[in-house]
Amino acid sequence: MLLTEGLAPGTASLTEAADGRLRLGGRWTADQAPAVEAAAARIAAGASSRLVVDLGEIERLDTLGAWVLERTRAEVEASGGALAYLGTRPEHRTLLGEVVIRGEPPAPAPRLRFPLSLLDGTGRQVVRGSKEFGTGIAFLGEVVAACARVALRPRSFRGTALVNQVQQMALNGAPIIVLISFLVGGIVAQQGIFQLQRFGAQTFVVNLIGLLILRELGVLLTAIMVAGRSGSAITAEIGSMRMREEVDALRVMGLDATEILIVPRVLALMISLPMLTLLGDLAALAGGGLTAMLYGGLTLDQFLARLQAAVGVHHVIVGLIKAPFMALTIGLIATIEGFAVEGSAESLGRRVTASVVKSIFMVIVLDGLFAVFFAAIDF
């Protein structure tokens, strides 16, 4: 019979009941470490096919006591026995679950040589991409459901948060987008003029920059800059909230984190990106027009007349139609990566980088899909 006697009150103790159960008592805490280790050694020494340990009489259990119990359980199982807990209180179960002793990690898979390693890596990336795509679709459903709930309860909508996000994304981001678009428009026009001069057709540079900027380059360039600026900011904000457990605090208070954190940011992106696209288009056309006047010998009246003849309103609409879809994609990716941040600065950095890279990739893919679609319907 296992028995610990003659100990002061509160000391970690171990007794064996008549039915064979092992009853633990006293304080299984760090200040009782010698008694805790002695009792645990007795449990491991008396291991049989199955042991039942009753924790109902334990006065207090801390991390050390829980870790010693889990270590003893692992030793018993390693020797071919089994150990089960009985009478555990909820706080004991939580603590034991946190310090559980896990088995040895699986051995790493053997390294494959070049052709097989390339195929293996490609396959893993495809599987990972398909899972992330499914996650994105499910997350989109959650956002749509949250928007529907907000629409049914307009008083719960946080308009102040929406206005603040629009200010951060559109108003504060307009100068850099206008500047970069102006420079890119000038560069495209300059290179176009140099190539068209060989055929004496430098005036057609107006058609080139008009169609290219309004249909493709303006919205694509703006979306890439928004992904790098606002998308990364969203991921960093939500990720830092995750690290400080502020998201969990919102849920504990009974608030919907999707309605509070995601809906205003996604709606703000969908409002801001079309406006920024229009500003970027105008800036790029201004840059292209200035370059055409300097290098192509065109006057302002000639440039405007040629531009009016080359492009129509539907070309502007094509670019603006793409903008909300690109904004939705950027917002979803940024928030998904933000909620995936763990408790370290390294994780935050990885997720912000992944957010920007994935957003830019998906924006380019969307632009290509829209280009094929509009070409198919001849719009």
Side-chain angles (χ1 to χ4, degrees):
M1 178 175 65
L2 297 175
L3 181 61
T4 302
E5 297 177 339
L7 297 175
T11 303
S13 62
L14 168 67
T15 57
E16 183 176 358
D19 57 1
R21 290 183 298 174
L22 303 178
R23 292 181 178 176
L24 307 185
R27 299 193 312 273
W28 284 62
T29 54
D31 61 324
Q32 300 294 325
V36 169
E37 290 288 354
R42 291 176 178 270
I43 295 175
S48 59
S49 60
R50 181 173 177 81
L51 292 177
V52 178
V53 178
D54 190 349
L55 308 182
E57 298 180 2
I58 289 182
E59 298 177 9
R60 186 179 177 187
L61 181 68
D62 67 357
T63 306
L64 180 136
W67 182 81
V68 171
L69 284 174
E70 281 299 300
R71 186 196 64 190
T72 305
R73 181 185 61 81
E75 293 175 356
V76 170
E77 292 179 352
S79 63
L83 189 149
Y85 297 121
L86 184 67
T88 54
R89 295 193 288 271
E91 60 270 22
H92 293 169
R93 285 195 295 271
T94 301
L95 192 56
L96 291 169
E98 290 294 331
V99 300
V100 62
I101 304 296
R102 294 173 175 84
E104 292 292 330
R111 298 186 61 180
L112 302 175
R113 294 187 177 182
F114 170 68
L116 295 179
S117 64
L118 179 62
L119 294 176
D120 178 72
T122 303
R124 291 180 185 275
Q125 290 294 336
V126 171
V127 172
R128 186 180 299 112
S130 62
K131 291 181 179 178
E132 291 180 355
F133 181 77
T135 302
I137 295 298
F139 197 77
L140 174 62
E142 294 182 12
V143 174
V144 172
C147 292
R149 291 195 299 270
V150 170
L152 295 176
R153 295 181 284 106
R155 291 185 178 181
S156 66
F157 179 66
R158 289 165 172 79
T160 305
L162 175 64
V163 173
N164 177 65
Q165 291 297 325
V166 171
Q167 178 185 358
Q168 296 294 330
M169 297 173 183
L171 185 61
N172 296 347
I176 185 63
I177 289 178
V178 168
L179 176 60
I180 294 179
S181 299
F182 180 84
L183 295 175
V184 171
I187 293 170
V188 171
Q190 182 195 42
Q191 296 301 315
I193 290 172
F194 288 163
Q195 298 301 319
L196 293 173
Q197 278 179 342
R198 302 177 180 179
F199 312 100
Q202 60 267 25
T203 56
F204 286 96
V205 73
V206 181
N207 304 58
L208 172 66
I209 62 176
L211 295 176
L212 182 61
I213 289 172
L214 294 179
R215 292 184 67 96
E216 302 294 337
L217 194 58
V219 63
L220 182 61
L221 186 63
T222 303
I224 290 175
M225 289 188 287
V226 168
R229 184 181 180 275
S230 300
S232 61
I234 291 174
T235 304
E237 290 170 1
I238 297 179
S240 62
M241 294 181 68
R242 285 272 298 172
M243 293 172 62
R244 294 195 297 263
E245 299 182 352
E246 295 179 17
V247 177
D248 297 331
L250 289 175
R251 291 169 177 160
V252 169
M253 290 187 292
L255 301 176
D256 190 344
T258 304
E259 294 182 11
I260 295 175
L261 301 178
I262 300 176
V263 172
R265 287 172 168 82
V266 172
L267 291 180
L269 275 174
M270 297 180 69
I271 294 172
S272 301
L273 190 55
M275 295 190 296
L276 292 174
T277 298
L278 187 58
L279 286 176
D281 289 345
L282 295 176
L285 290 176
L290 180 61
T291 304
M293 288 185 286
L294 293 177
Y295 287 89
L298 297 177
T299 64
L300 179 60
D301 292 338
Q302 291 175 331
F303 176 81
L304 293 177
R306 189 88 185 184
L307 182 65
Q308 185 177 7
V311 302
V313 178
H314 68 283
H315 296 299
V316 181
I317 295 175
V318 167
L320 295 180
I321 288 176
K322 300 176 184 179
F325 294 94
M326 293 182 177
L328 178 61
T329 302
I330 294 171
L332 290 178
I333 293 175
T335 50
I336 289 174
E337 294 297 330
F339 278 105
V341 171
E342 299 172 353
S344 65
E346 181 184 2
S347 174
L348 179 61
R350 287 199 309 267
R351 292 299 177 178
V352 171
T353 302
S355 172
V356 175
V357 173
K358 291 179 182 178
S359 297
I360 293 176
F361 173 77
M362 288 305 302
V363 161
I364 296 174
V365 170
L366 274 178
D367 186 72
L369 293 177
F370 272 112
V372 173
F373 171 74
F374 287 125
I377 64 175
D378 195 21
F379 184 69

